[in-house]
Amino acid sequence: MTAWLRAAFIVLVAACREAPVGPCPSPRVAGSAAEQAAPVVRRSPFDSAFASAGAEFHVPPTLLKAIGWVETRWEMVQGAEEFAGRAPAFGVMALRGAALERGAARAGVTPEAARRDPLANIRAAAALLDAFADEAAIDRSRNEQWSGVIARYSEIERPDGRAAYGREVDRALGGVPPQLARAPAPAPTACLPPPPPGSGGAPDYPPGVWRASPNFNARPSDSTGRVHVLIIHTCESNYTGCWSWLVNPASQASVHYVVSEDGNEISQLVHESDRAWHIAATYDCTLNRRHDCWLIGVQSNDFTVGIEHAGFASQGSFPASQLEASATLACDVTRDRGIPRDWQHIVGHGQLQPATRTDPGPNWPWIAYVHRVQALCGETVVDDSAPFNDPALAAAAVPAAWTASDTTPDYYGGGYRWASTQPDATDVAAFSFRLAVPASRAVDARWTSGTNRSPHAAYAVISSAGDTLALVRVDQTTGGGRWRALGTWAFPAGWNRVVLLRRGTAGSVVVADAVRVRE
């Protein structure tokens, strides 16, 4: 056994004695597949900066690289405030507030440079770690002594949060030995993560971990307290820092769920039936395409569920694994709470609080995300507007003579199309959906209602073989803004269609908004 592995083993045993959160793993063997997959042994855009800053400030470059991975996945973020009282984070090392100021001063760079320039940011972080190591009087040659410095850098107050942060840094290091990393790597700081409290995981989402926040209260008992909207956030921090802050009474903030960077863990902090404190805005329906205006002036926490995502509104993209985990959770929440799966009821924090928030940011993939939530819940939706469709599964063909509009609220997607009824009209609005295999599916339609709508609007349901399976008439003068069942049919594989006919007694209009197909 090498000296490094012997030291790692001793530290692992000691960690288990101090914090018995589960069985200790065996020491990792240098050169294993798991070790090679650790982020610290991968190339990053900032390897030379980690190396030079580490040498300058006597901090292991691998430690700098691991912390950068845990904090930002090696992205130069330009942070924003997400939680009142918590300064925004900047750069590869997610420096914020007084820590950024101190690190910049010690590194001899301006705070602005530490915010904007990668090398200055990494040097400021290394200088800060150097200061912490000096103040703790650690023996820098002993890997295990860096654990307290790592915990202090995290700025997490809770012991369980600090331990979890240390585990994340250890995972990023992957037990890399000095000869591979070219610098001493910290030994693991704790044992395996604890199992979810209780036998059933989180109360509303069993795959999650229950970490109860004291920051909540009861929803209103009237209709304004009925869960109606799902709000998507970014933490503006790493995963552990996010949930640790939101379970801290001092934060006076919370959310129902937090999704980790890679989606391998989800924390539930507040019951869905309770009111979490995640958005500081009253509802303004003009910010949401004039949907649900009956809620105008209501505090948005009253009727929403919030999902925070580890990461930053400024980041260039979001990991596919995080998006998949989030979409799976969103399907569960919307199904259990009866929230419509559309762009007016799955919305961003910045959309409803634009004066002070922008999250989840311009690169959150809204169209693909909502489609994935729908698919996981067994739905395919065909909108009259192509940008709101998944072209692999849904397509609409609406004649140019049909007028595009969004003047009547409660439409799906980006608006709707309408046309006057005529006895001899032959043009139709066609909503097509693709099935990979034959299947029985329920079909719903949606329109915006009004007194000038046709009371006998006709939808023809047509199979991919060209057979008309049914002609269903509906009264579009009423029932707008929600899904109305047309029926259930056995469809063959291929592109099947639901078409809205224009033919009818003159003097009214038909509205083509959307069609939904569900299992």
Side-chain angles (χ1 to χ4, degrees):
M1 181 181 291
T2 67
W4 184 88
L5 286 174
R6 189 178 298 111
F9 182 76
I10 291 170
V11 172
L12 279 167
V13 172
C16 279
R17 288 173 179 165
E18 294 171 3
V21 295
C24 282
S26 300
R28 285 179 284 247
V29 178
S32 68
E35 180 180 288
Q36 293 297 328
V40 78
V41 301
R42 306 175 198 163
R43 292 185 61 83
S44 86
F46 308 106
D47 283 352
S48 62
F50 292 132
S52 62
E56 180 182 1
F57 294 100
H58 312 291
V59 176
T62 49
L63 177 56
L64 286 172
K65 190 172 180 179
I67 291 174
W69 173 261
V70 170
E71 291 286 354
T72 69
R73 295 309 194 252
W74 303 327
E75 184 156 347
M76 270 296 293
V77 301
Q78 301 300 309
E81 182 182 271
E82 171 64 357
F83 310 119
R86 196 173 193 215
F90 292 91
V92 180
M93 307 302 291
L95 290 169
R96 65 178 82 228
L100 184 147
E101 299 275 349
R102 184 181 183 190
R106 191 175 176 99
V109 300
T110 66
E112 184 62 15
R115 293 185 183 98
R116 309 296 176 187
D117 177 69
L119 179 57
N121 182 264
I122 293 169
R123 288 185 65 247
L128 187 65
L129 289 163
D130 178 40
F132 292 166
D134 280 350
E135 290 164 4
I138 70 168
D139 180 349
R140 301 187 189 214
S141 66
R142 297 182 62 184
N143 300 298
E144 69 272 14
Q145 291 201 11
W146 283 99
S147 60
V149 174
I150 295 168
R152 186 175 175 186
Y153 186 93
S154 74
E155 298 188 333
I156 296 172
E157 295 180 6
R158 291 174 57 98
D160 57 346
R162 286 189 167 207
Y165 185 90
R167 288 194 294 271
E168 289 303 310
V169 173
D170 176 49
R171 289 191 187 98
L173 287 161
V176 178
Q179 62 268 27
L180 181 60
R182 299 180 183 177
T189 56
C191 300
L192 292 175
S199 60
D204 295 310
Y205 190 64
V209 179
W210 176 237
R211 294 183 166 106
S213 172
N215 306 325
F216 71 93
N217 63 310
R219 296 185 186 275
S221 58
D222 61 13
S223 60
T224 64
R226 180 177 65 85
V227 176
H228 197 64
V229 172
L230 181 63
I231 297 183
I232 303 298
H233 303 255
T234 51
C235 291
E236 300 301 307
S237 74
N238 66 80
Y239 173 63
T240 304
C242 188
W243 66 254
S244 295
W245 180 244
L246 294 176
V247 299
N248 187 337
S251 73
Q252 288 296 287
S254 63
V255 75
H256 295 90
Y257 295 98
V258 184
V259 182
S260 69
E261 290 89 347
D262 55 12
N264 68 344
E265 184 174 290
I266 294 174
S267 291
Q268 182 174 3
L269 311 185
V270 176
H271 287 87
E272 292 174 14
S273 58
D274 287 326
R275 181 181 182 272
W277 305 341
H278 60 107
I279 175 169
T282 57
Y283 185 70
D284 179 355
C285 67
T286 65
L287 300 173
N288 197 18
R289 295 177 175 169
R290 294 181 294 112
H291 281 69
D292 301 313
C293 287
W294 63 278
L295 286 167
I296 196 164
V298 175
Q299 214 292 324
S300 296
N301 286 321
D302 291 357
F303 57 88
T304 60
V305 165
I307 302 178
E308 288 278 1
H309 296 80
F312 301 83
S314 67
Q315 67 191 51
S317 63
F318 292 83
S321 55
Q322 183 184 47
L323 293 169
E324 181 69 10
S326 175
T328 303
L329 170 63
C331 170
D332 185 84
V333 173
T334 57
R335 183 171 51 207
D336 290 351
R337 299 295 161 184
I339 300 173
R341 285 176 282 274
D342 58 39
W343 287 270
Q344 287 76 49
H345 297 90
I346 303 176
V347 302
H349 185 187
Q351 179 180 334
L352 298 188
Q353 194 178 336
T356 57
R357 296 294 184 271
T358 62
D359 59 312
N363 296 315
W364 184 266
W366 279 111
I367 300 296
Y369 180 77
V370 174
H371 285 155
R372 186 58 182 153
V373 176
Q374 293 169 341
L376 288 165
C377 277
E379 296 177 349
T380 298
V381 178
V382 192
D383 187 51
D384 69 295
S385 303
F388 290 88
N389 290 327
D390 178 351
L393 299 173
V398 184
W402 292 50
T403 302
S405 180
D406 61 0
T407 56
T408 303
D410 295 331
Y411 50 83
Y412 181 91
Y416 56 91
R417 310 289 184 91
W418 63 268
S420 300
T421 53
Q422 298 292 336
D424 57 350
T426 58
D427 54 333
V428 300
F431 298 85
S432 300
F433 59 94
R434 181 182 178 275
L435 295 178
V437 296
S440 178
R441 292 288 185 267
V443 178
D444 308 315
R446 184 165 170 161
W447 56 84
T448 60
S449 56
T451 56
N452 67 336
R453 273 44 168 182
S454 171
H456 305 292
Y459 287 90
V461 182
I462 303 170
S463 75
S464 60
D467 299 324
T468 299
L469 304 180
L471 184 68
V472 182
R473 294 191 178 276
V474 300
D475 181 0
Q476 289 193 341
T477 64
T478 187
R482 60 183 185 272
W483 295 110
R484 309 289 293 200
L486 299 183
T488 301
W489 295 273
F491 291 100
W495 285 93
N496 299 277
R497 291 179 295 154
V498 177
V499 301
L500 174 61
L501 308 181
R502 183 180 175 184
R503 181 181 300 167
T505 303
S508 59
V509 302
V510 291
V511 174
D513 188 5
V515 165
R516 180 175 67 175
V517 182
R518 54 189 168 87
E519 297 176 1

